[in-house]
């Protein structure tokens, strides 16, 4: 008998998505606000269900879905981000007649991410991956009348389809050589890949395909355009959630299925990690759009996380996994804070083309004190300032790198952190030190509420990281 | 009280009460400064109560679990060194916060000011009592942040913001290197706990013998040097003078800048006694001492002069901690520790005087000041005491520790042998000469000479008691420590030196101890100092003209180039990296895939292209030929409509091919999909311009063609490989269906059985997809009608 209780979070989520979609049909535009609450509730219930399932281990559907510490940890990441996004979106979708589409797409994307986290079979992984991707393509272009949003969506879609093709190609080679699509099965039959050039080739194709979602340089080019052009709440889902899906998929594909090819892909990841963090940070320095700056910062952060593929120790993986969680809160929070600023700018000047320009952050400390304080905490956390989640995860990750004897890699990463401090501090400087003659305004409650949740977690992980680190370690044990 | 609780309270009370400051300000208005001073006093008493505990070189240690997974604990370590720092931090803290009551105007944002001061004090205390390198790092970075907020206190001044940013960048980045050094240290010793390493001789030897010894030392020293403004990292300190003067006195002369010194002293037992230690610490120290002392000459802002002097004085202390040989790892420890204490007293005193002068005379420019001795007699006396102590004049405390500096320099020179026997004491004297000259200048430029006729307020007088008493108190300490050094030495310096040296130390510090070598050096310093002072202005003038001629010989020049012009420098690079058109992105992605593909391909090309079997029927060749033409047409036709038609022709030809290959179901699907997509295409293109607007140049065409051909050949090779059939241990899926069709589904037509039985759900899915697509088409047609 299949034990469906483990699948309860996913089922709840999908049920919520369908319910939102159907109920929306019968509601007038003004009444659609309730959908946001409904969606948030569904996500919250799903989150609680995942929390309750922590520590259980099982397989479902002929071993194509696995439930273990790794999958449940990442589901928590996705659901936390989804919760923040859906709360914040209550404000964003206010008065929009397409609210039900927004929420159902967001929920289906999250469900896709959750299935990726549980996937134990390359085909399931691919399908779940595409479920999440297709939903986010549409979300990126949610503002149908806004050419920038459309451009963002089209770019994302085109590059996304191309890399999906590459990934599928890679999977087909793995299948052709090993005769199975099961992830542990591939690892068992890996001898067949080792001897043939197909092994290398499939690793290359998988890196290209997954590198896109993770936004590793040089597969990152869509990311800044898309994050900048999409609605901020969607950017936060993309940067904080969807990117982590790429990581969990990459963990499964490389560290379980293709572990025997480690010698081949470690070098590739070392090069990519270094290029990614350096380019991300350097290009972020000269951005004037805050969303674009955050996008490049995400690129750089992906570079840090990718270090785990080079170090390959349990602590490093735990660091990377903890980083995924922390980054989820920090980045989602930062994008939501930006969304609040965009909202403020647009409510004053309707046709502003660059509402997220750094100039609009002038004097924010006075104009929107809560938003500015939260943003400061997120930015400092992203920079890795102590007693925040960003510091703890960076610390674990960098420390494990040094302990593995890769001092050069750690030094590059630390130099990069130092560079990043500059552009994060710049935003803080604009918010607190530069004057603005704008009025003080009331901060929209949904945005503020979402930000405060994120701030609490950023600080709790920073102060009291033990339980989070414990589960990250458990998750890492699944991989190594 | 339990020492653990005392220290925890001393550290965290300022944090907690900082949160209460705004509420207190509502109650007692501008008197909130006294509340802050009171908090500092409580912390001070808590720290002082622990002096007996460490009086004879003992130490105390306690910890509670924090993040056991990575071996990080909340743990404190109390020894002479941390007590000395604790007393300086809280003691100067009381003085500064009381003084601020007079200095800060009542209209300033006082809660913010005192809040950050208290947070700073708590962080600083946390840092010196941390037993754990990670805790140390955390508090270390907190002091950087609080310093950032305090330097930038006057937000509307661009210079404040520049100075704040610069200090944060330099010190926080330096802190990261220090963290890396700590982690290297942990990878050698297996612990983040400092006392564990200090108390285990085996571990210390392991560190020294390890190949990463130098890496750890250099990384940690970068942290120390950036915080204590040593070597090239000094640049942030002069700009940090944009902070309110009490802040400069507190953070940037007495406490925060000494964090680097603290760190050096803390790791002294681990690293000292090696050549690398001496070269790195003393080398950097001596160079910084001379350069900063020399550069002080051209400063015309009192606080800038004091800033350079601080850099130079910190370098003294650094140098002394660096004095070490293998036999005697602590030649300068006692002298350094004593000077550390003395510097905190006289420099804080001088900063307070600078604050008083700026407060009363409304300027800090020494070219506009002068002759104030009549109007501010008390201030004049205090300033003279402070400056003479800095110059090393007896019987003040600066004289004593400078004597000890000379003595240890002689000893170090002697230990190294010729030619250092002469060079090191000579360099020390040179540093002393510069110090002497600018100390005299400080007094002369403000108080002596003639009062300038223009530019100064007509009535200048000594300030209120609120400001004068803290400064006078420090001046009193300067004299007290000079006349009766044993008070400071026995209670503070000896325990500190003992804890650094890990064995009990006894010092004999007296004003007069005979005509020793160091006394001769002091006399030489005075003589040369007076000589240099007479040439003071011409030296400053020469420095200015040198700076005008060669602006690029300056670390600030490099910093500004790196940081402030980074935007321009990087703009070109950034715009190259983010081109925009999606075609470029696809191009980059494809190009990279080809390159990645080429690597394994070239490496293993031998087995990659299997032998081909060209057994194709002529009519198939004909279909292929038409397909190629259709594909070329789709790619090259200049208008959308013919291009789309060409593309669908290609699709139908593929369908035809499926029929030849006896796969009617596939052919049917293909034809359906093709029809559908053609309809959607046609509906979409009527809404857009019919021709490509973009002109395609031959070179662009060639490039695209090249990419297309490369990708196509890549796919070709992959397909050829894929069609090689199933690799031996596996068998084709078709065997499964041939075997199971009849027994499991009872059908004879395998294709039918697969479609309706084995893959029944897939078929259902396909049907729903077709329905959805048809709905989509219907909608498209419908919406077209609407818009017209």
């Amino acid at each position: 008998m299949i034990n469906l209780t483990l699948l309860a979070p996913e089922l709840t989520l999908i049920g919520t998505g369908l319910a939102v979609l159907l109920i929306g049909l019968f509601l007038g535009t003004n009444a659609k606000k309730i959908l946001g609450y409904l969606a948030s509730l569904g996500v919250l219930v799903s989150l609680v269900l995942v929390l309750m399932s922590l520590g259980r281990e099982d397989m479902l559907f002929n071993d194509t879905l696995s439930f273990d510490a790794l999958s449940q940890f990442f589901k928590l990441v996705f659901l936390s981000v989804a919760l923040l996004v859906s709360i914040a979106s209550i404000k964003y979708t206010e008065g929009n007649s397409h609210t039900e589409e927004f929420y159902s797409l967001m929920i289906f994307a999250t469900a896709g991410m959750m299935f990726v986290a549980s996937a134990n079979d390359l085909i399931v992984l691919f399908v779940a991956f595409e479920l999440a991707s297709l939903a986010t393509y549409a979300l990126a272009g949610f503002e149908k009348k806004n050419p920038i949003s459309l451009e963002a969506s089209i770019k994302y879609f085109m590059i996304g389809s191309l890399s999906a093709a590459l990934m599928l190609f890679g999977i087909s080679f793995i299948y052709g050589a090993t005769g199975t699509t099961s992830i542990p099965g591939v690892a068992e039959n890996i001898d067949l890949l080792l001897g043939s050039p197909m092994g290398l080739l499939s690793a290359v194709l998988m890196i290209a395909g997954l590198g896109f979602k993770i936004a590793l340089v040089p597969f990152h080019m869509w990311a800044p355009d898309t994050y900048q052009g999409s609605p901020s709440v969607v950017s936060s889902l993309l940067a904080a959630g969807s990117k982590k899906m790429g990581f969990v998929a990459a963990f499964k594909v490389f560290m379980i299925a293709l572990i025997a090819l480690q010698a081949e892909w470690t070098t590739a990841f070392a090069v990519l990690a270094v290029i990614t963090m350096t380019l991300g940070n350097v290009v972020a320095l000269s951005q004037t759009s805050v969303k674009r700056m955050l996008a490049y910062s995400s690129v750089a952060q992906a570079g840090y996380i990718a270090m785990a593929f080079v170090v390959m120790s349990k602590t490093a993986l735990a660091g990377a996994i903890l980083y995924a969680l922390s980054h989820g809160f920090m980045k989602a929070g930062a994008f939501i804070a930006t969304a609040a600023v965009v909202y403020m700018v647009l409510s004053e000047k309707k046709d502003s083309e660059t509402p997220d320009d750094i100039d609009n952050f002038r004097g924010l400390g006075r104009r929107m004190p809560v938003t500015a304080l939260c943003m400061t905490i997120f930015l400092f956390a992203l920079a890795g300032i102590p007693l925040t989640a960003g510091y703890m995860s960076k610390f674990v990750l960098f420390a494990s790198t040094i302990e593995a004897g890769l001092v050069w890699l750690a030094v590059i990463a630390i130099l990069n952190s130092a560079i990043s401090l500059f552009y994060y501090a710049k935003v803080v400087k604009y918010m607190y030190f530069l004057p603005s003659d704008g009025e003080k305004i009331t901060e929209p409650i949904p945005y503020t509420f979402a930000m405060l949740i994120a701030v609490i977690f950023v600080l709790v992980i920073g102060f009291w990281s033990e339980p989070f680190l414990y589960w990250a370690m458990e998750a890492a044990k699944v991989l190594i | 009280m339990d020492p653990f609780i005392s220290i925890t309270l001393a550290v965290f009370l300022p944090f907690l009460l900082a949160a209460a400051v705004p509420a207190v300000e509502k109650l007692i208005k501008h008197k909130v400064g006294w509340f802050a001073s009171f908090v500092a006093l409580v912390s001070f008493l808590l720290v002082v109560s622990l002096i007996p505990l460490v009086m004879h070189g003992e130490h105390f240690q306690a910890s509670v679990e924090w993040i056991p997974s990575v071996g990080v604990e909340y743990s404190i370590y109390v020894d002479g060194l941390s007590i000395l720092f604790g007393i300086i931090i809280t003691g100067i803290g009381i003085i500064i916060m009381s003084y601020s009551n007079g200095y800060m105007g009542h209209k300033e944002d006082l809660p913010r000011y005192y809040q950050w001061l208290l947070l700073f004090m708590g962080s600083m205390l946390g840092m010196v009592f941390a037993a754990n390198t990670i805790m140390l790092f955390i508090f270390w970075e907190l002091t950087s942040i609080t310093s950032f907020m305090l330097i930038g206190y006057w937000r509307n001044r661009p210079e404040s913001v520049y100075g704040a940013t610069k200090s944060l960048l330099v010190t926080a980045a330096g802190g990261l290197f220090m963290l890396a050094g700590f982690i290297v240290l942990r990878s050698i010793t297996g612990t983040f706990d400092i006392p564990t390493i200090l108390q285990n001789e085996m571990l210390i030897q392991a560190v020294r013998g390890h190949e990463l010894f130098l890496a750890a030392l250099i990384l940690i020293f970068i942290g120390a040097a950036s915080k204590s403004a040593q070597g090239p990292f000094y640049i942030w300190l002069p700009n940090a003078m944009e902070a309110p003067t009490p802040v400069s006195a507190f953070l940037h002369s007495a406490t925060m800048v000494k964090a680097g010194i603290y760190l050096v002293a803390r790791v002294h037992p681990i690293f000292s006694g090696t050549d690398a230690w001496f070269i790195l610490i003393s080398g950097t120290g001596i160079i910084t001492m001379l350069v900063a002392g020399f550069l002080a000459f051209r400063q015309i802002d009192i606080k800038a002069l004091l800033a350079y002097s601080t850099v130079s004085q910190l370098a003294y202390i650094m140098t002394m901690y660096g004095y070490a040989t293998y036999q005697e790892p602590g030649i300068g420890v006692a002298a350094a520790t004593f000077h550390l204490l003395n510097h905190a007293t006289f420099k804080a005193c001088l900063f307070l005087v600078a604050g008083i002068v700026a407060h009363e005379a409304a300027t800090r420019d020494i070219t506009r000041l002068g002759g104030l001795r009549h109007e501010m007699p008390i201030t004049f006396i205090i300033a003279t005491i402070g400056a003479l102590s800095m110059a090393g004049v007896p019987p003040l405390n600066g004289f004593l520790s400078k004597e000890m500096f000379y003595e240890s320099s002689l000893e170090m020179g002697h230990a190294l042998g010729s030619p250092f026997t002469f060079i090191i004491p000579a360099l020390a004297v040179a540093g002393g000469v510069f110090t002497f000259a600018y100390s005299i200048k400080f007094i002369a430029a403000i108080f002596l000479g003639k009062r300038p006729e223009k530019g100064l307020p007509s009535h200048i007088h000594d300030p209120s008691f609120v400001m004068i008493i803290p400064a006078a108190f420090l001046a009193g300490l300067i004299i007290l420590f000079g006349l009766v050094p044993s008070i400071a030495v026995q209670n503070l310096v000896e325990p500190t030196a003992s804890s650094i040296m890990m064995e009990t130390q006894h010092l004999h510090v007296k004003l007069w101890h005979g005509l020793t070598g160091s006394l001769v050096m002091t006399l030489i310093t005075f003589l040369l100092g007076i000589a240099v002072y007479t040439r003071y202005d011409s030296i400053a003038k020469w420095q200015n003209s040198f700076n005008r001629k060669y602006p690029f010989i300056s670390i600030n020049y490099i910093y500004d180039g790196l940081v402030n012009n980074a935007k321009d420098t990087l703009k070109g690079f950034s715009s190259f990296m983010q081109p925009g058109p999606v075609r470029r992105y696809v191009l980059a992605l494809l190009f990279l895939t080809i390159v990645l593909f080429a690597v394994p391909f070239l490496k293993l090309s031998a087995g990659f292209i299997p032998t081909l079997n060209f057994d194709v029927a002529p009519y198939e060749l004909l279909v292929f030929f038409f397909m190629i033409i259709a594909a070329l047409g789709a790619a090259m036709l200049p208008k959308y409509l013919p291009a789309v038609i060409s593309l669908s022709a290609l699709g139908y030809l593929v369908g035809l091919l499926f029929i030849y290959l006896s796969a009617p179901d596939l052919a049917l699907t293909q034809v359906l999909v093709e029809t559908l997509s053609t309809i959607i295409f046609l509906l979409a293109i009527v809404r857009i311009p019919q021709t490509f607007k973009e002109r395609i140049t031959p070179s662009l065409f060639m490039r695209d063609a090249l990419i297309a051909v490369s990708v196509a050949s890549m796919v070709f090779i992959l397909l050829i490989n894929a069609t090689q059939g199933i690799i031996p241990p596996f068998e084709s899926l078709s065997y499964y269906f041939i075997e199971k069709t009849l027994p499991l589904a009872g059908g004879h037509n395998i294709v039918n059985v697969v479609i309706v039985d084995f893959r029944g759900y897939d078929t259902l899915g396909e049907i729903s997809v077709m329905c959805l697509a048809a709905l989509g088409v219907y909608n498209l047609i419908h919406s077209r009608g609407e818009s017209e």
Side-chain angles (χ1 to χ4, degrees), chain A residues 155 158-159 162 166 169 173 176-179 189 192 197 200-201 204 218-219 221-222 225 279 282-283 285-287 292 296 385-387 391-392 395-396 399 402-403 414-415 417-418 421-422 429 432-433 463 465-466 469, chain B residues 66-70 72 134 137-138 141 145 148 152 155 161 165 169 172-173 176-177 179-180 183-184 186-187 192 563 570 573-574 577-580 582 585-586 588-590 592-593 596-597 600 604 608 718 727 729-730:
Chain A
K155 276 182 179 163
M158 287 187 71
I159 310 268
L162 189 58
L166 293 177
F169 225 160
F173 274 93
T178 62
N189 292 334
L192 301 163
L200 208 54
L201 196 62
V204 162
F219 311 107
M221 291 179 136
W222 61 277
D225 289 357
L279 191 123
V282 168
V283 179
L285 282 176
S286 56
Q287 301 302 328
R292 203 171 174 83
Y296 275 106
I385 298 284
L387 296 183
Y391 167 70
M392 273 324 296
F395 167 65
V396 177
I402 292 177
E403 280 183 6
I414 287 172
L415 275 178
S417 296
L421 195 60
F422 181 75
K429 181 177 100 180
Y432 282 104
F433 290 158
F463 273 100
S465 12
E466 189 51 30
L469 202 52
Chain B
W66 184 21
I67 318 169
S69 308
V70 284
V72 175
I134 298 311
F137 168 77
I138 290 175
E141 294 293 54
I145 295 172
F148 167 75
R155 295 166 170 174
V161 178
T165 317
L169 286 182
L176 289 174
F177 280 94
L179 176 64
I183 298 172
V184 172
R186 140 113 178 192
S187 71
F192 285 123
V563 175
L570 290 172
F573 176 72
S574 298
M577 287 318 297
Q578 30 183 2
V582 72
Y585 295 1
V586 176
L589 193 58
L590 286 177
L592 195 92
T593 316
L596 284 177
F597 176 77
L604 307 151
F608 231 66
L718 289 177
I727 298 173
F730 306 110

Side-chain angles (χ1 to χ4, degrees), chain B residues 253-276:
Chain B
S253 79
T255 57
M256 188 184 94
V257 286
K258 294 215 170 73
I261 309 262
Y262 167 80
L263 181 65
V264 166
R266 184 47 88 209
V267 299
H268 190 279
I270 307 175
F271 294 102
S272 178
T274 56
D275 290 343

Side-chain angles (χ1 to χ4, degrees), chain B residues 370-377 451 456-462:
Chain B
L372 295 181
R373 63 186 176 283
H374 302 299
E375 287 154 289
M376 313 173 81
R451 191 187 203 276
L456 286 181
S458 51
H459 294 288
I460 297 179
H461 49 80
D462 275 322

Side-chain angles (χ1 to χ4, degrees), chain A residues 367-418:
Chain A
R367 304 188 65 189
M368 303 175 87
V370 181
T371 309
L373 181 68
C374 293
M375 185 71 169
T376 308
I377 294 175
F378 297 136
L379 292 174
F380 277 153
L382 285 167
I385 298 284
L387 296 183
T388 61
Y391 167 70
M392 273 324 296
S393 19
K394 254 187 196 161
F395 167 65
V396 177
L397 191 56
F398 292 3
S400 63
T401 310
I402 292 177
E403 280 183 6
L406 296 161
V407 179
W408 63 273
L409 186 61
V411 168
I412 292 176
I414 287 172
L415 275 178
N416 264 292
S417 296

Side-chain angles (χ1 to χ4, degrees), chain B residues 345-382:
Chain B
T345 54
F346 66 69
K347 189 53 65 63
C349 175
L350 289 176
F351 265 107
L352 297 190
V353 168
I356 291 173
V357 171
H359 198 261
E360 303 300 326
T363 179
R364 298 197 314 246
D365 186 340
I366 56 174
T367 57
R368 292 169 57 200
L369 288 162
L372 295 181
R373 63 186 176 283
H374 302 299
E375 287 154 289
M376 313 173 81
I378 305 176
T379 314
F380 170 57
I381 294 168
I382 294 171

